[in-house]
Amino acid sequence: EAQVTQNPRYLITVTGKKLTVTCSQNMNHEYMSWYRQDPGLGLRQIYYSMNVEVTDKGDVPEGYKVSRKEKRNFPLILESPSPNQTSLYFCASSYKPTPGTGGSPLHFGNGTRLTVT
Amino acid sequence: GENVEQHPSTLSVQEGDSAVIKCTYSDSASNYFPWYKQELGKRPQLIIDIRSNVGKKKDQRIAVTLNKTAKHFSLHITETQPEDSAVYFCAASKGGSSNTGKLIFGQGTTLQVKP
């Protein structure tokens, strides 16, 4: 089944303890992106990648790192999590480097709910 | 950078009535405008999209209109049903030679359809 898989679905951690949220897609998609969803703020883009070894900052990259060593994987790394990073995180991917180009919509994973205490 | 404003933040309608959600964008180079529906506890899913060379697009009970001059686009849902209750997000991006790889979302609209 074609899908975007995020792990874990739920994560509770403490301030300063490094964590990684994994994201994997099995659709051979060029583009991958991370968003965070907060009430009243919608979906805000953290980082995105238009190809292997190519990553760019979105609108809220502070406190996050990403890597794209392989086409299928795009992990989100929080080196020193803080309570303001408590949020619902979504990974997404699309076939073309530009979401929407040539009928290539953005596909979302199931989300990771992160709580930092 | 691009900014997308979405209104209203909440919308309550009676079953069978129409619902309209509006978005404005700031970057005149934006040329792709998708709408996503997010049911409670689930992932956002694309329901309809429109490109800047089209003024209106319809798919059964949902339609999207685009006014490039005013830089706004709207989602119209007719004959609403309880299963239309969800959070709806608009978004905007630039493709082609202006591509930045960014897809910017609005703040979301919570639609409640009362039976």
Side-chain angles (χ1 to χ4, degrees):
Chain A
E1 181 189 351
Q3 59 187 357
V4 180
T5 303
Q6 292 179 232
N7 280 298
R9 290 293 308 277
Y10 302 92
L11 180 57
I12 301 174
T13 189
V14 296
T15 299
K17 186 175 181 182
K18 182 180 178 179
L19 66 91
T20 299
V21 183
T22 63
C23 175
S24 180
Q25 50 88 9
N26 62 359
M27 298 172 280
N28 199 35
H29 283 182
E30 296 283 342
Y31 180 94
M32 297 186 75
S33 183
W34 277 101
Y35 288 87
R36 61 177 289 175
Q37 182 176 6
D38 302 289
L41 298 177
L43 292 155
R44 293 181 293 167
Q45 195 168 30
I46 303 171
Y47 270 95
Y48 62 95
S49 169
M50 296 167 72
N51 211 332
V52 176
E53 300 291 1
V54 177
T55 62
D56 285 290
K57 295 178 180 179
D59 290 329
V60 289
E62 295 78 19
Y64 305 94
K65 286 174 58 176
V66 293
S67 67
R68 188 91 182 274
K69 293 186 173 62
E70 312 163 275
K71 197 172 189 178
R72 63 182 294 128
N73 296 323
F74 192 47
L76 180 69
I77 303 156
L78 284 72
E79 293 272 2
S80 183
S82 62
N84 64 11
Q85 292 178 299
T86 292
S87 187
L88 177 60
Y89 291 86
F90 284 101
C91 180
S93 70
S94 74
Y95 182 66
K96 293 287 182 86
T98 307
T101 301
S104 171
L106 203 58
H107 297 266
F108 284 86
N110 281 324
T112 295
R113 187 165 291 282
L114 172 65
T115 302
V116 184
T117 61
Chain B
E2 172 73 283
N3 185 48
V4 177
E5 296 287 332
Q6 183 172 345
H7 298 281
S9 57
T10 59
L11 180 59
S12 182
V13 300
Q14 287 297 136
E15 182 176 0
D17 287 350
S18 294
V20 180
I21 303 169
K22 299 181 180 180
C23 289
T24 59
Y25 60 98
S26 60
D27 191 338
S28 57
S30 293
N31 56 13
Y32 174 64
F33 308 95
W35 286 89
Y36 284 80
K37 175 183 180 183
Q38 185 182 30
E39 296 176 352
L40 189 63
K42 297 192 175 179
R43 72 185 83 184
Q45 291 193 296
L46 180 74
I47 55 172
I48 195 168
D49 56 15
I50 193 168
R51 300 182 191 283
S52 58
N53 60 346
V54 175
K56 183 175 182 177
K57 184 176 178 180
K58 186 176 181 182
D59 183 3
Q60 299 182 346
R61 294 187 298 107
I62 60 173
V64 57
T65 59
L66 171 66
N67 183 326
K68 286 192 293 183
T69 303
K71 291 190 285 187
H72 68 68
F73 55 112
S74 301
L75 179 71
H76 305 254
I77 306 174
T78 58
E79 301 171 27
T80 53
Q81 301 167 3
E83 52 264 38
D84 294 329
S85 296
V87 178
Y88 291 81
F89 292 99
C90 63
S93 73
K94 296 186 286 192
S97 60
S98 302
N99 176 32
T100 63
K102 289 189 174 185
L103 182 62
I104 306 300
F105 284 82
Q107 295 82 359
T109 296
T110 300
L111 173 64
Q112 180 188 30
V113 180
K114 295 186 234 180

